[in-house]
């Protein structure tokens, strides 16, 4: 099946007489005829459901659909993108271990790694995604357990060289984890370029309608944990908290990573997505291919308009030929990147703030990547406590506006920006 067909058909296949639309199984628990039947589930001897904190049929249908879209072997939903990032790393790295991560990852992920997971005893080295080979090589340590990067960095829009980082990770016997939130599998499938595990904040384009917060992890099934068994004892030696099961032995490379994340992390941390949200997410996924196409064509037109405007000092959109990452974006995302653009309003902080007040169609929101065009001026909102100098040091210039182009008619979006710029 082609990807547009998978958006509709993958994950849930109704049998004779069953509901056409994926059903919501809004139930915390599941009934069994005998306690022996249920015992088999607890021992992971049979597959089935007993309690929604671990697994739920609706969530599994949706996870299977996203795994199919990414070209992976198994997937799991989480309550948020943050939970997905956390589980993906914590499933293979613990106290005393080390992780190499791109320095331009989403701020929430950076904080999770650099503050909270450091407190758990995990060490991180952050590397510039465009660093030299020597710098990348020097980032690895004997206790490194994985490499983490973002296809399209939120909000810097840096295109990550997935192949290069996959080769470096594999040379050190560890997997590459890619947060593919902004590109979505419609525009980029990191597994095809060597990534081993893919994560998502499904809150963004996948849900796409501002309706539900969620996350997802997909495993490619390609990383050979057994070949590097000494590095990954959690997958290759018996789990005493689960009746001595060895995940790679029992579930193979295709299922070991996700089964361990479900059986241990979901069991203990409980960041499950509610079946109702998974149902809403599925509705978003059905139209994902159509929406991404529109987000990208709208954003390109808006970016071209901004680039031509005298009232704008700079535009950052990897779909523009003038962009530093244009060539790399063509390699990884030939059909388009995403709908997010950043640009500078001439006149700095004051001018940008007045531009924001003049907008009528674009909604002021901290959110990005959904059907509604929304916009944020960090210097007058999220970053308002910082001086101009502090802003520049944190990589957010005072004139920077982040625009997430929606799927409205592009003429209305451009007309709105045009009148708002002219009225400054
Ligand atoms: C929003 C976002 C996250 C965090 O996701 P939540 O669903 O808000 O927890 C992670 N990565 C990227 C790239 C994001 O944009």
């Amino acid at each position: 099946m082609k990807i547009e067909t998978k958006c509709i058909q993958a994950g849930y296949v109704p049998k004779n007489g069953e509901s056409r639309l994926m059903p919501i199984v809004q139930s915390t628990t599941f009934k069994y005829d005998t306690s022996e039947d249920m015992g088999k589930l607890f021992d992971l001897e049979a597959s089935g459901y007993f309690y929604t904190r671990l697994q739920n049929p609706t969530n599994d249908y949706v996870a299977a659909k996203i795994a199919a879209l990414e070209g992976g072997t198994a997937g799991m939903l989480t309550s948020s993108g943050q939970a997905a990032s956390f589980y993906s790393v914590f499933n293979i790295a613990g106290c005393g271990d080390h992780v190499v991560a791109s320095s331009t990852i989403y701020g929430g992920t950076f904080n999770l790694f650099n503050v909270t997971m450091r407190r758990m005893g995990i060490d991180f080295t952050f590397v510039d995604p465009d660093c030299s080979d020597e710098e990348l090589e020097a980032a690895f340590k004997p206790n490194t357990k994985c490499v983490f990067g973002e296809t399209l960095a939120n909000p810097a829009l840096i295109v990550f060289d997935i192949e290069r980082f996959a080769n470096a990770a594999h040379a050190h016997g560890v997997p590459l984890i890619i947060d593919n939130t902004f590109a979505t599998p419609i525009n980029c499938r990191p597994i095809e370029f060597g990534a081993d595990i893919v994560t998502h904040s499904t809150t963004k384009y996948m849900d796409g309608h501002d309706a539900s917060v969620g996350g997802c992890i997909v495993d490619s099934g390609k990383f050979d944990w057994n070949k590097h068994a000494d590095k990954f004892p959690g997958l290759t030696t018996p789990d005493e908290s689960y009746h001595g099961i060895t995940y790679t032995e029992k579930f193979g490379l295709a299922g070991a990573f996700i089964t361990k994340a479900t059986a241990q992390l979901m069991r203990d941390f409980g960041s499950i997505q509610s079946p109702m949200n998974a149902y809403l997410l599925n509705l978003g996924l059905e139209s994902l291919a159509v929406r991404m196409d529109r987000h990208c064509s709208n954003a390109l037109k808006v970016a071209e308009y901004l680039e031509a405007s005298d009232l704008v000092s700079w535009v950052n959109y990897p779909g523009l030929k003038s962009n530093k990452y244009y060539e790399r974006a063509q390699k990884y995302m030939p059909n388009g990147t995403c709908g997010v653009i950043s640009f500078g309003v001439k006149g700095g902080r004051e001018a940008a703030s007045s531009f924001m007040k003049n907008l009528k169609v674009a909604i002021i929101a901290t959110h990005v990547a959904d059907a509604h065009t929304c916009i944020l001026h960090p210097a007058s909102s999220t970053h308002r406590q910082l001086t101009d100098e502090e802003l520049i040091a944190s990589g957010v210039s005072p004139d920077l506006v982040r625009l997430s182009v929606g799927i409205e008619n592009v003429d209305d979006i451009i007309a709105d920006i045009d009148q708002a710029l002219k009225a400054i």
Side-chain angles (χ1 to χ4, degrees), residues 80-82 85 106 109 150 154 179 181-182 201 203-204 213-214:
S80 67
Q82 286 298 102
S85 303
Y106 170 70
T109 317
E150 226 169 273
N154 172 13
D179 179 339
T181 298
F182 265 30
S201 164
T203 317
K204 311 293 166 51
V213 172

Side-chain angles (χ1 to χ4, degrees), residues 99-105 113 124-128 146-149 165:
V99 173
V100 176
S102 161
S103 59
T104 58
I105 48 174
F113 290 175
F124 288 84
T125 299
F126 294 96
V127 294
D128 186 314
C146 61
V147 177
F148 193 101
F165 278 77

Side-chain angles (χ1 to χ4, degrees), residues 347-368:
R349 191 191 286 242
E350 288 306 311
S353 166
S354 127
F355 162 74
M356 297 289 290
K357 288 193 190 105
N358 302 336
L359 290 164
K360 295 184 173 73
V361 174
I363 300 153
I364 298 176
T366 54
H367 196 44
V368 284

